[in-house]
Amino acid sequence: MIKSTSPCLGIFTNKPAFTVPLHVGISLVEPELKLAFMQKLETVFEDNYFTNNGPLVQKLEDEVAVIHGYKYGIAVCNATVGLLLVLKVSDLKNEVILPSFTSPATVHAVLWQGLKPVFCDIDPKNLMLSSKDVERLLNPEVSAILGVDIFGNLSPIDELVTLAQGRPVIIDAAHSFACKKESKHKPAIEVLSFHATKIFSTFEGGMILTDDEDVMRELRYMRNYGFQDYDDIKTLGINAKLNEVSAAMGLASLDFMEERIEKLRRTRELYIEYLSPIEGLHVIDINQGTTSNYHYFSFLVDKDKFGIDRNLLLKVLRGENIMAKRYFYPGCHKMKLHKPFYRDLPNTDLVSEKVICLPTGLPYPEMDVAKICKILQLCSEHGRKISEWDRV
Ligand SMILES: Cc1ncc(COP(=O)(O)O)c(C=O)c1O
């Protein structure tokens, strides 16, 4: 259990290494982006069109669908509701296989649809669904596989589609804006998150991606209370619309993505370089052939080699205003609400006990990464002292 962070403030210097807290997944807002957003916002007010499938939402849908190689994008108010709609439109029954190593949002979307989540283990190397465990879990009750792309890695889609034998493979792609990998198959549907903590943000928001025209049409009705025309309800709907102000932010952000991703790629490179001499820290790889967005930098802490365990490291880092995160901890299968669906998931347990994510949206990557890694090195060198101090 992590205790209060206050006693460990600045354990090496008596004051935190960073005066302003550095968060994981902070919204990246370049000064020029603010200006570009304000200009787009002007057009929202000029058009006097704020929501209900407005022109900016439509433009954003077209542009994001192209980036991801899909025919259709359906903008929604957030990824959680997007997942709900996707599970509903897919007309699923009984069981859905999904990882436990994910946000509770993925699991709750399944539960909201009255479906049974079947927790599957992950591959500890890349944190994606383990194809072997999927194979073990498949049975006639399973109506879909819901994979989750984690930390800029992509789900093993070819393996999942082959294993699924005609069942839809749906991907929670909340983390994988602009990530790409050559593959033979495509998911039936993907759902992106545009939450403020994601690499591409519309403050709150998300997008469903599909090539299926009927599914696209149905989803458009569903996100708008089920209306297919004035006074004409076609299907059970909800309000899941993205507004024009959010779409303006999305469109303005698109112009900054290439540069942003390059900056994050460089930050990852720096982390890897500085961490390589430190024993006991195992960086989670990006799969070969994947073009990542590099938004997350995560590694596993091996206490015996590093000197202190993940939780104590987290405590020290937070004391230095490096707001590293246990992401995801605990696995969803260990949460009280999900107890009825518990399964033994050794890899998920191992990873969630050891994983830590460091901030990447750094103001001064070269300097900040060096400073963060120096603290990690000191933790490793003074492991015993830090543990003693923590026991006091
Ligand atoms: C893997 C995953 N899926 C779904 C979500 C939910 O996204 P949203 O906040 O857009 O509803 C998150 C949010 O962090 C997430 O990390």
Side-chain angles (χ1 to χ4, degrees), residues 77-81 83 102-103 105-106 148-150 172-175 192-195 197-198 204-206 296 327-328:
C77 55
N78 60 55
T80 310
V81 174
L83 283 166
T102 182
S103 157
T106 324
V148 182
D149 296 342
I150 303 279
D172 175 341
H175 289 197
L192 301 165
S193 170
F194 300 161
H195 185 259
T197 54
K198 301 295 186 284
E204 290 275 2
Y296 296 93
Y327 199 41
F328 297 97

Side-chain angles (χ1 to χ4, degrees), residues 250-268:
L251 287 170
S253 301
L254 283 177
D255 292 339
F256 294 83
M257 291 311 292
E258 216 177 292
E259 208 177 309
R260 193 181 281 183
I261 290 172
E262 178 48 28
K263 195 171 161 193
L264 291 167
R265 192 194 61 74
R266 176 74 187 130
T267 302
R268 179 182 174 84

Side-chain angles (χ1 to χ4, degrees), residues 277-296:
I278 307 175
E279 261 203 284
L281 302 181
H282 306 289
V283 175
I284 303 293
D285 287 334
I286 301 291
N287 279 342
Q288 257 203 338
T290 302
T291 309
S292 181
N293 59 29
Y294 308 106
H295 192 207
Y296 296 93

Side-chain angles (χ1 to χ4, degrees), residues 124-286:
K125 282 206 203 80
N126 55 29
L127 317 184
M128 298 296 106
L129 271 181
S130 148
S131 300
K132 268 196 195 133
D133 205 29
V134 170
E135 196 169 3
R136 214 171 292 137
L137 292 170
L138 278 166
N139 74 72
E141 296 295 296
V142 172
S143 60
I145 299 174
L146 174 53
V148 182
D149 296 342
I150 303 279
F151 304 157
N153 251 328
L154 295 177
S155 300
I157 193 64
D158 287 337
E159 289 172 37
L160 295 181
V161 169
T162 307
L163 285 170
Q165 294 179 323
R167 300 167 178 96
V169 176
I170 296 163
I171 300 293
D172 175 341
H175 289 197
S176 49
F177 185 89
C179 296
K180 288 191 180 93
K181 188 175 194 304
E182 282 291 319
S183 61
K184 211 163 99 196
H185 298 282
K186 243 174 157 180
I189 311 186
E190 295 190 51
V191 184
L192 301 165
S193 170
F194 300 161
H195 185 259
T197 54
K198 301 295 186 284
I199 183 166
F200 176 83
S201 152
T202 58
F203 313 125
E204 290 275 2
M207 195 171 291
I208 304 169
L209 300 165
T210 182
D211 282 339
D212 188 317
E213 192 178 345
D214 294 335
V215 167
M216 173 273 287
R217 220 172 263 128
E218 190 73 3
L219 285 166
R220 293 230 157 105
Y221 304 146
M222 286 167 90
R223 79 168 169 192
N224 186 28
Y225 313 101
F227 280 112
Q228 70 174 342
D229 210 338
Y230 287 113
D231 308 325
D232 186 6
I233 290 283
K234 164 82 171 26
T235 188
L236 179 64
I238 197 167
N239 181 359
K241 289 168 283 167
L242 187 75
N243 65 69
E244 288 288 280
V245 175
S246 286
M249 181 63 173
L251 287 170
S253 301
L254 283 177
D255 292 339
F256 294 83
M257 291 311 292
E258 216 177 292
E259 208 177 309
R260 193 181 281 183
I261 290 172
E262 178 48 28
K263 195 171 161 193
L264 291 167
R265 192 194 61 74
R266 176 74 187 130
T267 302
R268 179 182 174 84
E269 221 172 62
L270 286 166
Y271 268 133
I272 290 175
E273 186 186 324
Y274 282 110
L275 293 184
S276 65
I278 307 175
E279 261 203 284
L281 302 181
H282 306 289
V283 175
I284 303 293
D285 287 334
I286 301 291

